[in-house]
Every structure is written in C-alpha cells, then in structure tokens.
Amino acid sequence: MPLVRISVFHEMAAERRLKIAAAVYDAMRSTLGIPEGDRFIVLSAHSQDELIVDPHFMHVQRTSEFVLVHVTLRRGRSIETKQSFYKEAARLLEVRADISPDNILVALTDNDSADWSFAKGEAQYVLNPPVAVQTQRHLVVRNETGDRS
C-alpha cells in the first residue's frame, strides 16, 4: 500500500516519466512484497526553481535528469529489504529510463496500518486487516516485549 511521489525536472519527456513510474512500481513489487495493482504514484515535474538539488552532495554528479522517489509505506521491512529496493530501483531506472544511478535519490517513510484510509473514511487495515498485516502486527508486538520472532 505504498504511496509514491516522484519528482523530476519539467524538461523530462512524458514517455520517460511513465517509464520511471513503472520501474519504481516493479522494483517495489519484486523487493518490498507489494501486491499486484497496489499502484498509487504521484509524478510531478518541476522547474529549476521548484526542485532544488545539490549536484554534488555525497560525491555524485547529478544533472537535470535527477529523479526524487519518496515512498510512504507500512513499517516492518528490514534494512536488507530496503537496500534491495534501492538497488533494484536504481537498476531498473537505468535500464528502462536511462537514468544514471547518480541521479536517483530514494527516501522511504514508514508508518502504521492505522495511518491509511483507502476510501469511505475508514482505516481498512485496522477494521479488517489482511493476513499479511495481522502477521506483521503480531511480530511487532512480540518484538516489543522482547520475545524472539
């Protein structure tokens, strides 16, 4: 159930923007366990004065092909899983949209099941959580009490 926000500079062609969105979605599917069809992406194009990016921070070479990917998703994924996502997203963006890995910044924000309403003013994952959410909630509770999971 992630919500993805992708920001690029407005010079980037619309066709390429769609390739970027598809690459990010496919990377989430293959590494983060996102179900088929769970695709909610906001893709925004900005002028140079609306998207301000240091071209050399962290010793890389960013250009006007910079892509910012911000994913909000439920808490519970390991560091290894997140690193796998970063790597796969960079790989797919390079292969499918010809985006240099230096031009890709990914930020993940974790939250809880109660922080999502998919429609009707209800927190569906609280009222009727899918099995995966129930299992994850059980593991988090056990870990907070010091039990092994």
Side-chain angles (χ1 to χ4, degrees):
M1 84 185 111
L3 172 62
V4 180
R5 294 184 177 276
I6 301 172
S7 297
V8 299
F9 288 110
H10 74 307
E11 295 91 4
M12 190 170 291
E15 179 182 316
R16 198 166 181 206
R17 294 178 200 173
L18 293 176
K19 289 178 181 179
I20 290 168
V24 170
Y25 173 71
D26 289 344
M28 290 189 310
R29 292 266 301 128
S30 67
T31 62
L32 300 177
I34 304 305
E36 178 71 33
D38 193 352
R39 186 176 177 149
F40 297 91
I41 300 172
V42 178
L43 203 153
S44 303
H46 302 273
S47 65
Q48 296 286 333
D49 64 339
E50 295 173 329
L51 182 58
I52 301 166
V53 177
D54 186 293
H56 306 293
F57 183 70
M58 298 299 289
H59 310 289
V60 297
Q61 300 299 313
R62 292 181 189 87
T63 70
S64 62
E65 295 186 343
F66 175 75
V67 176
L68 170 63
V69 179
H70 182 196
V71 182
T72 303
L73 68 168
R74 265 187 310 108
R75 184 176 332 278
R77 288 165 180 92
S78 69
I79 291 170
E80 294 79 13
T81 297
K82 291 175 181 182
Q83 289 176 324
S84 177
F85 169 64
Y86 303 146
K87 188 174 202 166
E88 182 66 358
R91 186 186 75 77
L92 290 178
L93 286 166
E94 186 172 29
V95 168
R96 295 184 186 175
D98 196 28
I99 303 294
S100 163
D102 276 8
N103 274 321
I104 302 165
L105 187 154
V106 178
L108 300 180
T109 302
D110 295 334
N111 63 19
D112 294 312
S113 296
D115 298 319
W116 296 88
S117 173
F118 294 97
K120 301 180 182 180
E122 300 173 351
Q124 287 83 358
Y125 277 12
V126 172
L127 299 172
N128 189 21
V131 173
V133 172
Q134 292 173 21
T135 302
Q136 184 179 31
R137 188 179 304 152
H138 174 71
L139 291 174
V140 169
V141 170
R142 287 187 67 196
N143 286 337
E144 289 173 357
T145 63
D147 293 342
R148 294 175 48 186
S149 57

